Amino acid sequence: MFKNRGIVIYATMLTILMTMLTGMVHADTITLYSGRSKTLVEPIIQQFEKDTGIEVKVSYANTAQLASKLKTEGTRSPADLYLAQDAGALGSVTKDGLFAKLPQSVLEKVPNTFRHKDGYWIATSGRARVLAYSPERVTKENLPESVFDLTQPKWKGKVGWAPLNASFQAFITAMRGQVGEERTEKWLRDMKANGAKAYPKNTPIIEALDAGEIDVGLPNHYYLFRFKKRDAKFPVEQTFFKAKDPGNLVNIAGIGLLKSSDKQETALKFIEYLLSAKAQQYFVSEVFEYPVIDGVIPNANLLPLEELMKIVPKFDLNEMDDLEGTIKLLRRVDIL
């Protein structure tokens, strides 16, 4: 009898110990929904794991798809954090009340421009929309001054864009806010009628310029620099439209903490890490993006932030939360 009781006690203690160990592992593991591509963020995620001992389980997908997934899952979502490619998707999730308000100690790390007005998301890096072009087929002097000029007959079949990409959809959301629904829809329809060529994302736009498929394209600024890093003579260049043109939108990648997360304290460590000098330097030096904190060594390839801000259109990133309206518009004009 005593022998059996000893076995029972031992088994009970072992179960308790295993439960405690499982809980410890569970506490040091967070789940991240990432709308940013694996090639861009995996290195810094791995560095975070190495530096902190916290495991990050990542689910990669399109930014808009993940926003929709979060809304469907609601409070049942396994996600602790949502890393998005643009402010529009972050705003859309915020509207559904799924984010927890971030601590002031985190929010004050970045300027007001780069965070939600009520503290529900924060930027992790900045990106600019540009006009990429083939200098072999188009001289800089002959480039359009405005994104609206791309509907002219001279550009028929020569423009590349990426309607499925989250950054393009955010750009359209911003355009709707700046020039209105009617003018934005007209531009989309005119671009389609003018034979704009659709690509799944930004990288193929740069490749298409090199291959001679198109003469100009509408990507984010940092994609070309990856090609230039491998080949300084890569035959594609990029520029901005005239000052304050809607085509010069500066957007952000950013992150929000899910209200439903039961590991918010651990998840906040990841957000703080992305805003650290080490992570910000990675985004600047390796991804060619703009930092959102001070004290980061600038990338010589980038237009200084103070110069960039002189040519961007005036627009509040907090107003980019109508992602659903943009998706409906793109479907209405039969682009999606």
Side-chain angles (χ1 to χ4, degrees):
M1 180 178 70
F2 289 107
K3 183 178 180 180
N4 290 339
R5 182 180 296 175
I7 293 174
V8 172
I9 293 173
Y10 175 77
T12 301
M13 291 180 64
L14 183 62
T15 300
I16 293 172
L17 179 60
M18 291 301 293
T19 300
M20 290 175 62
L21 289 174
T22 301
M24 289 173 64
V25 172
H26 180 73
D28 288 336
T29 302
I30 55 176
T31 299
L32 171 71
Y33 280 8
S34 177
R36 304 223 66 193
S37 65
K38 188 174 182 178
T39 55
L40 293 180
V41 298
E42 185 179 51
I44 200 63
I45 292 173
Q46 291 177 338
Q47 190 62 50
F48 168 78
E49 292 178 318
K50 181 179 178 180
D51 289 347
T52 66
I54 299 170
E55 180 186 357
V56 184
K57 294 183 178 179
V58 190
S59 177
Y60 292 101
N62 174 278
T63 284
Q65 290 174 344
L66 286 175
S68 179
K69 184 178 181 180
L70 284 169
K71 294 179 181 187
T72 300
E73 293 173 340
T75 58
R76 298 175 289 103
S77 177
D80 300 297
L81 296 161
Y82 173 45
L83 179 61
Q85 192 172 330
D86 65 85
L90 290 166
S92 181
V93 174
T94 301
K95 280 175 69 175
D96 276 37
L98 299 178
F99 284 145
K101 190 170 184 177
L102 297 172
Q104 188 60 32
S105 59
V106 172
L107 295 170
E108 64 189 15
K109 293 178 182 292
V110 308
N112 292 338
T113 308
F114 296 133
R115 68 194 198 208
H116 183 261
K117 59 184 178 181
D118 295 320
Y120 288 103
W121 55 256
I122 194 165
T124 53
S125 58
R127 313 90 57 75
R129 298 291 294 177
V130 293
L131 177 69
Y133 66 97
S134 167
E136 295 176 353
R137 296 185 295 280
V138 184
T139 63
K140 192 169 184 179
E141 293 71 27
N142 290 325
L143 289 172
E145 290 189 352
S146 170
V147 70
F148 293 106
D149 294 338
L150 290 172
T151 61
Q152 295 174 353
K154 65 184 289 187
W155 301 113
K156 188 173 182 63
K158 298 179 179 180
V159 184
W161 61 359
L164 294 175
N165 188 260
S167 60
F168 178 86
Q169 292 169 8
F171 160 62
I172 295 301
T173 303
M175 181 184 286
R176 291 170 58 219
Q178 293 170 70
V179 303
E181 189 86 5
E182 185 176 335
R183 189 178 181 191
T184 301
E185 180 170 345
K186 184 178 187 307
W187 181 77
L188 289 168
R189 291 188 182 280
D190 288 348
M191 286 286 286
K192 182 182 176 184
N194 210 34
K197 295 182 179 179
Y199 295 90
K201 52 187 180 179
N202 288 286
T203 298
I205 292 177
I206 304 299
E207 294 170 337
L209 286 165
D210 176 40
E213 296 176 15
I214 53 176
D215 288 353
V216 295
L218 296 171
N220 284 334
H221 80 273
Y222 52 88
Y223 288 92
L224 176 59
F225 292 129
R226 294 188 218 160
F227 288 86
K228 294 283 191 181
K229 186 176 182 179
R230 295 193 294 266
D231 177 10
K233 296 182 179 180
F234 188 77
V236 175
E237 301 296 336
Q238 62 188 24
T239 187
F240 292 97
F241 295 103
K242 64 184 179 182
K244 308 303 180 183
D245 189 81
N248 295 342
L249 176 71
V250 169
N251 203 341
I252 55 96
I255 195 165
L257 173 66
L258 273 299
K259 187 188 296 184
S260 56
S261 169
D262 59 359
K263 291 173 273 187
Q264 292 189 5
E265 185 176 345
T266 305
L268 277 171
K269 292 179 182 179
F270 182 73
I271 296 179
E272 292 174 330
Y273 191 85
L274 292 185
L275 298 174
S276 69
K278 177 185 283 190
Q280 289 291 296
Q281 195 65 63
Y282 164 78
F283 286 124
V284 171
S285 301
E286 301 299 325
V287 188
F288 303 102
E289 293 182 309
Y290 286 94
V292 294
I293 66 169
D294 293 328
V296 179
I297 300 171
N299 190 317
N301 294 295
L302 300 181
L303 184 69
L305 187 58
E306 58 272 18
E307 294 298 315
L308 178 64
M309 297 312 290
K310 293 178 182 178
I311 64 171
V312 303
K314 186 176 180 180
F315 190 73
D316 185 351
L317 294 175
N318 286 286
E319 297 177 9
M320 291 180 60
D321 57 4
D322 188 19
L323 177 60
E324 289 81 1
T326 291
I327 298 297
K328 289 179 181 178
L329 171 60
L330 292 174
R331 286 174 177 163
R332 187 163 68 245
V333 299
D334 199 23
I335 290 177
L336 285 186

